[in-house]
């Protein structure tokens, strides 16, 4: 009986693992920061943000990330700065490598669904994003 429980737990764990291809298919879009967790477990929650992160990643693994600000009519003001993205698969991880004229760095995609994006940077900070939805002014 103990072996049956162990096998069931293993099957559930493996069955819930998200493939890198599935993660990649959900990254493109507008994302609003929901929280940041530091390596000590302290979490800073954000109820809303003036800046939205726009990700666009093509099938060839190349893309861009920009900061945008929504306005009241549903359009976005885009900053002039952007970060080029290169998707890298390494040791079963999905990594986003960023490059600007001033710096390069990478983040690990921990989770990417239609509603949530979780990235871990090189310092161990965990950024959790929620899909951006415009405010309804009805």
């Amino acid at each position: 009986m103990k072996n049956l429980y162990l096998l069931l737990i293993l099957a559930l764990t493996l069955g819930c693992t998200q493939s890198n291809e599935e993660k990649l298919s959900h990254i493109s879009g507008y994302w609003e920061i929901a929280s940041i967790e530091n390596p000590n477990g302290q979490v800073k929650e954000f109820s809303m943000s003036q800046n939205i992160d726009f990700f666009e990643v093509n099938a060839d693994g190349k893309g861009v990330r920009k900061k945008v600000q929504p306005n009241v009519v549903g359009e976005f003001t885009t900053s002039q700065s952007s970060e080029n993205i290169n998707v890298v698969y390494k040791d079963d991880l999905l990594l986003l490598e960023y490059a600007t004229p001033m710096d390069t760095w990478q983040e690990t995609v921990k989770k990417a669904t239609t509603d949530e994006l979780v990235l871990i940077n090189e310092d161990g900070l965990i950024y959790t994003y929620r899909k951006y939805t415009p405010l309804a002014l009805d």
Side-chain angles (χ1 to χ4, degrees), residues 71-87:
N71 63 26
V72 294
V73 294
E75 297 171 347
F76 295 96
T77 303
T78 305
S79 70
Q80 295 302 314
S81 64
S82 65
E83 300 152 2
N84 292 320
I85 298 174
N86 186 39
V87 174

Side-chain angles (χ1 to χ4, degrees), residues 16-136:
C16 296
T17 302
Q18 192 179 24
S19 73
N20 286 332
E21 290 76 19
E22 184 181 357
K23 289 177 189 175
L24 186 59
S25 73
H26 293 296
I27 292 173
S28 292
Y30 294 90
W31 295 95
E32 182 178 15
I33 190 74
S35 67
I36 301 173
E37 180 179 346
N38 70 23
N40 297 329
Q42 295 173 313
V43 178
K44 178 171 174 71
E45 301 279 342
F46 298 88
S47 58
M48 64 182 296
S49 177
Q50 291 182 338
N51 293 313
I52 307 299
D53 284 7
F54 171 72
F55 289 83
E56 183 176 44
V57 179
N58 301 321
D60 66 355
K62 305 288 185 206
V64 67
R65 178 182 186 173
K66 291 184 174 191
K67 298 283 187 193
V68 300
Q69 292 183 331
N71 63 26
V72 294
V73 294
E75 297 171 347
F76 295 96
T77 303
T78 305
S79 70
Q80 295 302 314
S81 64
S82 65
E83 300 152 2
N84 292 320
I85 298 174
N86 186 39
V87 174
V88 175
Y89 299 96
K90 182 179 177 187
D91 300 329
D92 295 327
L93 297 174
L94 175 60
L95 303 174
L96 300 180
E97 289 186 340
Y98 300 99
T100 68
M102 305 297 272
D103 198 9
T104 59
W105 68 98
Q106 62 182 215
E107 293 179 316
T108 302
V109 180
K110 181 177 180 184
K111 179 180 180 182
T113 66
T114 56
D115 299 319
E116 186 177 45
L117 175 63
V118 180
L119 303 175
I120 305 171
N121 76 3
E122 295 169 325
D123 295 325
L125 293 172
I126 302 171
Y127 293 87
T128 301
Y129 295 85
R130 61 182 157 262
K131 187 64 105 175
Y132 171 74
T133 52
L135 293 174

